[in-house]
């Protein structure tokens, strides 16, 4: 990619922009076959996006490399990638695309996790390293808690903001699959 690209992993600017970034928006759709009607596609919400790229990590201060505050060797970047992986926390993946005049074309800003990375040392690259990085989109989630009470008339009352009444027989098959602590999520 050209000089008009800047790639950040959390707060870290990659010194050399990857020559190619592959972004795959995964699909959860399912095709089914109907009797005498052919195939139809059942549309679902998109799955998590995958991002893959290879980046060069210089061991020499090249004039084409970008650093926010001076040259940083490969050991800094390798330790940074390891912290991203072992922290078990999502971070921002940002790609800024600019025209030569500095005007921003568009940006990518995804919350991701570092799934895996591979360090390649090749004699053809001299002292420099190549790191293959695989990221996966992160979506925030949380559990919702509800209070469940079994009434004398074999109904269950529960709800977040207002009470709901459910027949025990309607929920029996769902509750049987979950432990008691997960029953609160069934009633959401």
């Amino acid at each position: 990619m050209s000089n008009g690209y800047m790639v950040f992993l959390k707060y870290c600017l990659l010194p050399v922009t990857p020559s190619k970034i592959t972004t795959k928006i995964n699909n959860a759709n399912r095709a089914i076959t109907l009797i005498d009607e052919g195939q139809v596609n059942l549309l679902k919400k998109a799955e998590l996006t995958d991002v893959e790229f290879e980046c060069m990590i210089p061991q020499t201060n090249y004039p084409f490399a970008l650093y926010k505050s001076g040259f940083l060797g490969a050991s800094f970047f390798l330790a940074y990638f390891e912290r991203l992986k072992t922290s078990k926390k999502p971070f921002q993946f940002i790609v800024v695309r600019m025209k030569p005049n500095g005007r921003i074309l568009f940006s990518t800003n995804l919350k991701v996790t570092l799934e895996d990375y591979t360090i390649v040392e090749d004699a053809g690259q001299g002292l420099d390293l190549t790191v293959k990085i695989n990221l996966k989109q992160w979506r925030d989630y949380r559990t919702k808690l509800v209070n469940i009470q079994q009434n004398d008339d074999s109904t269950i009352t529960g709800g977040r903001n207002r009470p709901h009444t459910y027949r025990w027989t309607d929920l029996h098959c769902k509750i049987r699959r979950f432990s008691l602590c997960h029953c609160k999520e069934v009633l959401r």
Side-chain angles (χ1 to χ4, degrees), residues 10-28:
K10 197 171 181 178
Y11 304 114
C12 181
L13 171 65
L14 294 180
V16 179
T17 303
S19 60
K20 177 173 77 170
I21 298 175
T22 304
T23 304
K24 183 179 180 199
I25 294 88
N26 293 304
N27 185 6

Side-chain angles (χ1 to χ4, degrees), residues 12-174:
C12 181
L13 171 65
L14 294 180
V16 179
T17 303
S19 60
K20 177 173 77 170
I21 298 175
T22 304
T23 304
K24 183 179 180 199
I25 294 88
N26 293 304
N27 185 6
N29 295 346
R30 190 173 65 140
I32 60 170
T33 304
L34 302 175
I35 299 174
D36 294 332
E37 296 294 324
Q39 256 188 353
V40 296
N41 198 9
L42 298 177
L43 302 178
K44 306 279 184 179
K45 186 175 181 177
E47 292 182 349
L48 300 175
T49 298
D50 294 319
V51 179
E52 298 177 1
F53 59 89
E54 293 183 13
C55 59
M56 176 184 157
I57 304 298
Q59 293 277 35
T60 307
N61 192 3
Y62 294 117
F64 57 83
L66 295 174
Y67 298 96
K68 288 196 288 188
S69 53
F71 174 75
L72 297 168
S75 59
F76 169 81
F77 292 99
L78 295 179
Y80 190 80
F81 297 153
E82 185 65 18
R83 280 194 310 274
L84 289 176
K85 180 66 179 160
T86 58
S87 71
K88 299 178 185 175
K89 294 181 181 176
F91 58 91
Q92 295 304 124
F93 168 69
I94 301 170
V95 180
V96 180
R97 299 162 185 88
M98 293 183 294
K99 289 184 173 182
N101 65 4
R103 186 168 177 235
I104 294 178
L105 293 169
F106 69 99
S107 298
T108 298
N109 188 344
L110 281 175
K111 189 179 272 192
V112 297
T113 57
L114 179 55
E115 291 297 298
D116 56 67
Y117 65 99
T118 306
I119 303 163
V120 179
E121 295 184 62
D122 184 357
Q125 294 287 332
L127 299 174
D128 302 327
L129 303 176
T130 300
V131 181
K132 297 177 183 178
I133 295 179
N134 294 315
L135 306 172
K136 186 171 285 287
Q137 180 184 19
W138 172 270
R139 289 186 187 145
D140 290 321
Y141 65 92
R142 63 186 176 103
T143 56
K144 297 176 184 176
L145 299 177
V146 286
N147 296 323
I148 300 174
Q149 297 173 347
Q150 186 168 4
N151 301 327
D152 294 335
D153 61 351
S154 295
T155 60
I156 297 174
T157 304
R160 291 183 301 268
N161 298 328
R162 62 185 198 286
H164 300 283
T165 302
Y166 304 92
R167 289 237 166 263
W168 175 255
T169 54
D170 297 338
L171 293 174
H172 181 67
C173 63
K174 289 182 181 180

